Amino acid sequence: MSIRPIVTVPDPVLREKAKPVRKITPEIQNLIDDMIETMRQAPGVGLAAPQVGVGMQVMVVEYAEGSENADADAEPKPKKLYTLVNPKISRHSKETELGKEGCLSIPDYMGEVERYGTVTVKSLDRHGKSFKLKARGWLARIFQHEIDHLNGVLFIDRTENVWKVEPEEAQEASETV
Ligand code: NI
């Protein structure tokens, strides 16, 4: 496994539609392992293949559900790692939520972005097996942000409310995807 450099704007790979994976080859397995390591090191809670310069429909997410609003007394939930190949949003709620987002490919900026409150995602796992998952709140936001990356869409396309983060208010890893 190795850490790959994270591509930032205005690299054109971030604006291309990623190609579906036809076959899960050793190269794809290697890409997934590298993406997990790169996401953890960044640190971030999600990473899409175009962010390491690869225009393939692969993304990883690692997040402890509910940790964005955990109260101090609550037992922290364990982090869960998700690997998605060729993911699609198959259903989503009508209702949307506004929330703050950052992106590893747009360093030092944040924005307030409207996202669906719940989404159902259909995908293949890293072994090519199909699965479905339902996410809400921040986890749903992360999936929507990463699937956007696979379509060449960045959070700055979805909001006009974007601001530069001052060095003293460093971006929280949990908000960076
Ligand atoms: Ni991002």
Side-chain angles (χ1 to χ4, degrees), residues 51 103 145 149 177:
Q51 293 183 276
C103 179
H145 180 114
H149 273 302
V177 275

Side-chain angles (χ1 to χ4, degrees), residues 5-130:
I6 292 179
V7 166
T8 55
V9 283
D11 193 303
V13 72
L14 294 169
R15 290 313 198 167
E16 287 160 14
K17 264 186 174 282
K19 291 194 174 67
V21 174
R22 293 237 176 116
K23 190 165 180 242
I24 300 190
T25 57
E27 288 72 29
I28 295 287
Q29 294 289 1
N30 191 35
L31 169 69
I32 292 168
D33 287 336
D34 287 357
M35 284 172 61
I36 293 168
E37 199 175 349
T38 304
M39 167 179 67
R40 287 177 175 161
Q41 196 260 347
V45 291
L47 192 69
Q51 293 183 276
V52 291
V54 178
M56 302 294 289
Q57 293 182 17
V58 176
M59 55 177 261
V60 294
V61 169
E62 189 169 48
Y63 189 67
E65 210 173 341
S67 64
E68 71 280 9
N69 48 21
D71 70 78
D73 301 331
E75 190 76 13
K77 283 205 184 159
K79 275 189 191 174
K80 211 171 155 189
L81 177 66
Y82 306 85
T83 299
L84 291 86
V85 174
N86 303 346
K88 291 259 172 338
I89 294 176
S90 59
R91 295 183 68 132
H92 62 76
S93 58
K94 266 199 203 126
E95 117 278 353
T96 58
E97 292 169 7
L98 276 175
K100 281 193 289 176
E101 281 176 35
C103 179
L104 295 169
S105 296
I106 312 174
D108 304 326
Y109 284 87
M110 292 200 73
E112 192 169 47
V113 186
E114 191 170 11
R115 300 281 190 190
Y116 299 121
T118 43
V119 291
T120 302
V121 179
K122 271 180 85 171
S123 180
L124 301 180
D125 69 12
R126 65 179 300 164
H127 308 292
K129 199 169 162 255
S130 67

